[in-house]
Amino acid sequence: MLRPIKDHQAAGKNSEPKRHWVKDHGLLLVNVGLFLVFLGGMIISGAASYSEEQQTHGGPPLGILQYLATGHFVEAVFENWESEFLQMAMYVVLTVFLFQRGSSESKPVDKDAPQDEDPRDAKKTAKTPWPVRRGGWVLKVYEHSLSGLLALLFLASFTMHAIGGTAAFNEEQLSHGLPEVSTWEYVASSQFWFESFQNWQSEFLAVAVLVGASVYLRERGSPESKPVAEPHYETGA
């Protein structure tokens, strides 16, 4: 009878780190999971909608894998990614220099913020990120690596939006007996910028609402909100 107890205890010990790991990464895991669910829904519904449109014009229906290679899908995905990464990159950079008194989304207005501390003056330990211990140009890049990554993702999405949008636009052109356009011509068109601006404006509206609303409104338990009993004009998380 002792052996099953030991095995059970061992199993509990082995599974405990897994439970901790999931808890430690729950926010990322849930968001990645939701992304995959919604992307899958977009692919399935988009393929069905696109096939219906093709059949309306006398064309053959497309399978899901075939749909993934269409300009319709590429343009739809990256048009949205483009606006998301632009919003996040701009937000990261703007919050370095700008403040909103009373907002949990702002650094404190009247006192120093830990984010502004020079890492060169920090005490180095084994747990200090390697770029900080390395110093020099490596640290210089690391200091702005978050905004740099988001900017690169925006540029990549912007490029794919242009490529996918060109393919979708040319497909529409050919269906009406009109000539195709190059990617550069499509980027210079009002259609491309309409697609971009309609997404960009909504992203910055959402940020403005969050920044302003967090001055007066609360969400107990969320790090995006100040403590419920904290005064309105207390700035920072």
Side-chain angles (χ1 to χ4, degrees):
M1 293 179 66
L2 293 176
R3 185 178 299 276
I5 294 176
K6 289 181 179 179
D7 291 342
H8 176 72
Q9 290 174 341
K13 290 180 180 178
N14 291 334
S15 62
E16 188 175 12
K18 293 182 180 179
R19 291 201 301 269
H20 285 323
W21 188 89
V22 171
K23 180 180 179 181
D24 290 345
H25 301 86
L27 187 59
L28 175 62
L29 291 173
V30 169
N31 276 280
V32 170
L34 289 172
F35 161 72
L36 293 175
V37 168
F38 294 141
L39 179 63
M42 175 187 173
I43 292 171
I44 294 170
S45 59
S49 175
Y50 186 78
S51 288
E52 289 174 6
E53 185 177 344
Q54 289 292 99
Q55 290 176 294
T56 300
H57 292 86
L62 267 67
I64 289 179
L65 293 180
Q66 292 174 303
Y67 175 67
L68 296 180
T70 64
H72 184 274
F73 170 74
V74 174
E75 185 273 330
V77 169
F78 288 101
E79 175 189 331
N80 284 279
W81 289 14
E82 164 196 301
S83 62
E84 298 293 342
F85 291 127
L86 174 65
Q87 176 221 66
M88 289 189 289
M90 289 292 294
Y91 190 56
V92 167
V93 173
L94 290 175
T95 52
V96 174
F97 307 102
L98 302 179
F99 304 88
Q100 176 58 51
R101 182 174 293 278
S103 176
S104 63
E105 298 294 309
S106 170
K107 291 187 297 184
V109 178
D110 300 321
K111 58 183 178 181
D112 294 334
Q115 294 90 341
D116 292 330
E117 295 174 359
D118 192 333
R120 294 159 188 80
D121 300 331
K123 182 180 178 180
K124 312 298 190 298
T125 69
K127 295 182 180 180
T128 302
W130 174 80
V132 179
R133 289 183 277 120
R134 174 67 173 78
W137 68 268
V138 175
L139 175 55
K140 192 67 177 176
V141 172
Y142 186 65
E143 286 181 306
H144 305 288
S145 55
L146 179 57
S147 60
L149 172 64
L150 294 172
L152 286 175
L153 290 171
F154 163 71
L155 291 174
S157 300
F158 185 91
T159 300
M160 291 304 297
H161 170 201
I163 293 172
T166 302
F169 185 80
N170 281 335
E171 185 177 323
E172 187 72 17
Q173 288 285 95
L174 290 174
S175 69
H176 292 87
L178 299 173
E180 295 182 330
V181 300
S182 68
T183 300
W184 288 112
E185 289 174 321
Y186 180 68
V187 170
S189 70
S190 59
Q191 176 65 26
F192 175 81
W193 290 104
F194 172 73
E195 293 167 353
S196 293
F197 287 141
Q198 71 173 333
N199 285 285
W200 296 3
Q201 56 86 20
S202 64
E203 298 298 338
F204 287 98
L205 172 63
V207 170
V209 169
L210 180 60
V211 170
S214 68
V215 176
Y216 302 102
L217 305 180
R218 309 285 190 269
E219 184 59 43
R220 185 178 177 184
S222 174
E224 296 302 309
S225 167
K226 295 182 295 186
V228 177
E230 197 161 275
H232 291 323
Y233 281 94
E234 186 68 29
T235 307

